[in-house]
Amino acid sequence: MLGNVLTITSGKGGVGKTTATANIGAALAAAGNKVVCIDADIGLRNLDVVLGLENRIVYDLVDLIEGRCRMRQALIRDKRLPELFLIPAAQTRDKSAVSPSDMIKLCEELRKEFDWILIDSPAGIERGFRNAIAPADIAMVVTNPEVAAVRDADRIIGLIEAEEKGPARLLINRIKPGMVKRGEMLSPDDVLELLAVELIGMVPEDENVITSTNRGMPVALDGKSKAGEAFRNIAQRLLGSEVPFIPLEEDGGFIDRITKLFRSGGK
Amino acid sequence: MDKNIEFAVKPKVQIKGISDGLLIILGEGDWQELHDFLLDQIDQQVEFMRGARVALDVGNQVLKAADLGQLRSQLYDRDITLWAIISNSPTTDQTAQTLGMATRLTKVKSEMVEHPVSKEQTMGEQALLLHRTLRSGFSIHFPGHVVVIGDVNPGAEIVAGGNIIVWGRLKGMAHAGADGNKEAIVCALDLMPTQLRIADRISITPQDRKKALPEIVRLVDGEVVAEPWNPK
């Protein structure tokens, strides 16, 4: 069976595409799939850092496409998960080094060997995005519950539909349940009402993501993190299981927990 | 000044130099045939075309996303950027816009202002029906009426010579009577536009707007007035 190509995109920068790619990739690999993550953000590579593989790069995506190395040489094996691989972006070139048909050809090769091919798209709607979306079977749009990110997600969903890669799946990242409850942040329902696409995951804001990103260790491999659990659930949904969405609860700080204790004790 | 660089004598494809790149004008005929011919012409002039920014005038061709998307990728492979599609068909215009391409050259735009759409066209029966959600970045300019079945999201815009009717939520920008028709109206099931214009008047949705209800907007003594739709 040929593998699936999943492109993770957003329009707006900084909403968590790279984090989502690394974590969904890690979760799919941990569930026994052979996975390759491709960093399509040529010139601004990040995915290697998030996966903690920065120091192992010899060849990159552009070397591979321009024929300076073989497929095997560009594939970097993850240090924890033997079934997870990375093809890093070139840092010294720009988006015009790759064309949409290069990406399609590359993915045709990778499909034969991998169950999942994840493409981390750059922000924006220009060539980098078109390179990333060209080979996609499934397009996943990452957004944050804020007006500017949702606006850009809407634009990108329109472009995905126009490229006939729809329907897009939506990942709402960095939700702060406390703010939603107080009406200070868009709720997942507000976002879905506007975007009208299928939801594939809701990931709460979690400080563990920042620490794990800095350490190059995907949070999906951390059994205790809430964000990690949300990413593992997304992987399960991609594999066809019906996993209920985790209800969003305020992950109380110390004070919150004390208050809760008092409340439950007082009643 | 435009410098004409006509190198193909064949009438099917004309290539001209314009201020911001090249303008390629396609003749009439079967799309597939023209498409193949165009690529063939380009392949014969690889050096000349490399790195070019191209606007393509497709005339009356009705093109779908697959057609334009394919052509754009093929041009990309030849290091040519297709940035605009000029067309007489609203369908092709829509396709180009959803693909993120421009649908007019700056020069064409200024010509449009000099020759406003004729009264006959705008007040006539011509209407464009869009049965879909208009997402951010989508822009439709049409001389007649525009009817949308679906939502108009923030960041989308509709500019119509006639009326605008939205069977859904109107949250984007709507400009009715764009050529100065003060009789034009806008109505929507849920009217919350970022900005609403009728002829030369501009208004915004009041902040304290209550719950969603169908409304109809028109000019009354030069003021933009919204009235709830009351079937009784």
Side-chain angles (χ1 to χ4, degrees):
Chain A
M1 248 217 16
L2 292 174
N4 298 298
V5 180
L6 168 67
T7 295
I8 295 157
T9 184
S10 70
K12 188 175 180 295
V15 296
K17 285 179 295 297
T18 302
T19 309
T21 309
N23 282 289
I24 296 169
L28 284 168
N33 297 274
K34 196 168 181 196
V35 181
V36 56
C37 298
I38 304 177
D39 190 348
D41 200 350
I42 299 159
L44 291 166
R45 77 175 176 218
N46 280 156
L47 187 55
D48 52 323
V49 179
V50 176
L51 285 168
L53 300 173
E54 194 181 8
N55 54 8
R56 302 188 181 197
I57 298 175
V58 180
Y59 294 106
D60 57 45
L61 180 62
V62 176
D63 291 322
L64 181 58
I65 280 171
E66 294 181 350
R68 279 190 296 276
C69 68
R70 291 188 305 279
M71 180 78 83
R72 222 150 273 295
Q73 294 173 299
L75 287 167
I76 301 170
R77 189 189 291 268
D78 186 74
K79 37 189 182 191
R80 299 151 296 246
L81 299 161
E83 294 288 84
L84 178 63
F85 291 82
L86 167 73
I87 299 181
Q91 182 70 315
T92 52
R93 302 285 291 274
D94 64 38
K95 270 77 180 170
S96 61
V98 176
S99 78
S101 56
D102 291 334
M103 291 297 287
I104 294 173
K105 263 180 254 161
L106 174 65
C107 288
E108 287 314 310
E109 283 303 306
L110 291 168
R111 270 177 213 276
K112 295 174 197 158
E113 223 178 299
F114 290 90
D115 302 314
W116 286 90
I117 299 147
L118 272 55
I119 302 177
D120 182 16
S121 161
I125 55 172
E126 294 85 17
R127 180 141 185 186
F129 162 71
R130 280 199 285 274
N131 285 338
I133 202 73
D137 300 316
I138 308 169
M140 188 186 290
V141 174
V142 183
T143 191
N144 294 158
E146 46 179 272
V147 176
V150 172
R151 181 76 55 91
D152 290 357
D154 190 41
R155 175 88 164 108
I156 217 84
I157 292 166
L159 292 173
I160 289 167
E161 286 168 358
E163 300 266 353
E164 293 169 358
K165 298 290 183 184
R169 317 287 172 89
L170 185 70
L171 193 173
I172 308 178
N173 196 17
R174 306 182 68 176
I175 303 169
K176 292 187 177 178
M179 287 185 73
V180 173
K181 207 180 279 172
R182 292 193 297 274
E184 293 163 359
M185 182 179 255
L186 294 174
S187 73
D189 287 341
D190 296 335
V191 178
L192 279 173
E193 183 190 275
L194 183 86
L195 297 179
V197 287
E198 189 192 330
L199 186 67
I200 194 152
M202 295 191 285
V203 181
E205 176 87 330
D206 183 344
E207 287 179 0
N208 292 324
V209 173
I210 298 172
T211 51
S212 72
T213 300
N214 290 341
R215 279 185 298 140
M217 160 93 181
V219 75
L221 305 176
D222 173 355
K224 283 179 292 216
S225 150
K226 282 199 164 178
E229 186 184 355
F231 282 121
R232 287 195 297 277
N233 287 347
I234 293 169
Q236 286 305 318
R237 289 185 197 110
L238 284 169
L239 293 170
S241 318
E242 284 207 16
V243 187
F245 290 96
I246 316 171
L248 293 168
E249 276 167 23
E250 192 156 7
D251 180 29
F254 180 68
I255 305 272
D256 260 19
R257 256 176 280 159
I258 299 276
T259 343
K260 266 183 205 152
L261 265 177
F262 272 111
R263 277 198 196 127
S264 52
K267 273 239 162 165
Chain B
M1 277 296 107
D2 287 351
K3 200 173 114 203
N4 286 4
I5 315 167
E6 285 193 23
F7 57 87
V9 195
K10 305 211 173 105
K12 279 189 196 163
V13 172
Q14 257 185 299
I15 303 185
K16 291 179 172 183
I18 56 171
S19 53
D20 42 2
L22 294 176
L23 173 65
I24 302 184
I25 303 167
L26 293 185
E28 293 290 315
D30 175 59
W31 167 251
Q32 199 52 47
E33 207 174 284
L34 284 168
H35 163 266
D36 295 346
F37 185 78
L38 174 64
L39 289 182
D40 189 47
Q41 285 291 311
I42 289 170
D43 286 339
Q44 287 173 29
Q45 325 271 333
V46 184
E47 287 310 314
F48 173 68
M49 300 293 294
R50 182 165 294 151
R53 261 167 64 79
V54 163
L56 184 67
D57 186 336
V58 296
N60 296 322
Q61 299 278 353
V62 178
L63 300 175
K64 293 279 161 56
D67 304 323
L68 283 182
Q70 186 201 20
L71 178 64
R72 183 168 65 181
S73 309
Q74 287 165 331
L75 292 178
Y76 262 129
D77 292 346
R78 292 164 171 82
D79 205 13
I80 297 167
T81 312
L82 181 60
W83 69 280
I85 295 288
I86 314 298
S87 151
N88 298 329
S89 142
T91 314
T92 308
D93 265 0
Q94 273 180 60
T95 309
Q97 279 164 1
T98 39
L99 284 168
M101 288 189 269
T103 47
R104 50 184 69 173
L105 309 171
T106 6
K107 193 165 163 279
V108 177
K109 204 182 208 167
S110 62
E111 278 170 11
M112 294 268 293
V113 179
E114 284 164 32
H115 311 287
V117 190
S118 74
K119 206 78 184 162
E120 223 173 323
Q121 254 180 307
T122 51
M123 293 312 290
E125 296 302 309
Q126 241 194 339
L128 179 66
L129 177 68
L130 297 164
H131 194 157
R132 52 179 291 186
T133 301
L134 307 193
R135 297 189 180 274
S136 173
F138 185 93
S139 151
I140 185 82
H141 292 245
F142 189 72
H145 311 297
V146 175
V147 181
V148 180
I149 302 176
D151 291 348
V152 179
N153 284 354
E157 59 174 40
I158 303 175
V159 178
N163 305 324
I164 298 172
I165 296 154
V166 179
W167 187 263
R169 287 184 282 255
L170 171 55
K171 293 180 172 179
M173 197 284 283
H175 188 180
D179 62 325
N181 173 13
K182 292 187 164 54
E183 306 296 309
I185 59 151
V186 176
C187 51
L189 290 187
D190 183 4
L191 190 84
M192 281 193 292
T194 332
Q195 201 184 74
L196 194 146
R197 305 180 195 162
I198 294 179
D200 55 352
R201 311 302 295 183
I202 301 179
S203 72
I204 54 173
T205 309
Q207 287 288 335
D208 57 349
R209 191 175 168 278
K210 280 156 253 125
K211 65 187 213 330
L213 74 175
E215 283 176 290
I216 179 163
V217 186
R218 62 175 99 241
L219 284 186
V220 179
D221 302 328
E223 293 296 315
V224 178
V225 177
E227 296 160 12
W229 167 256
N230 199 336
K232 268 177 269 172

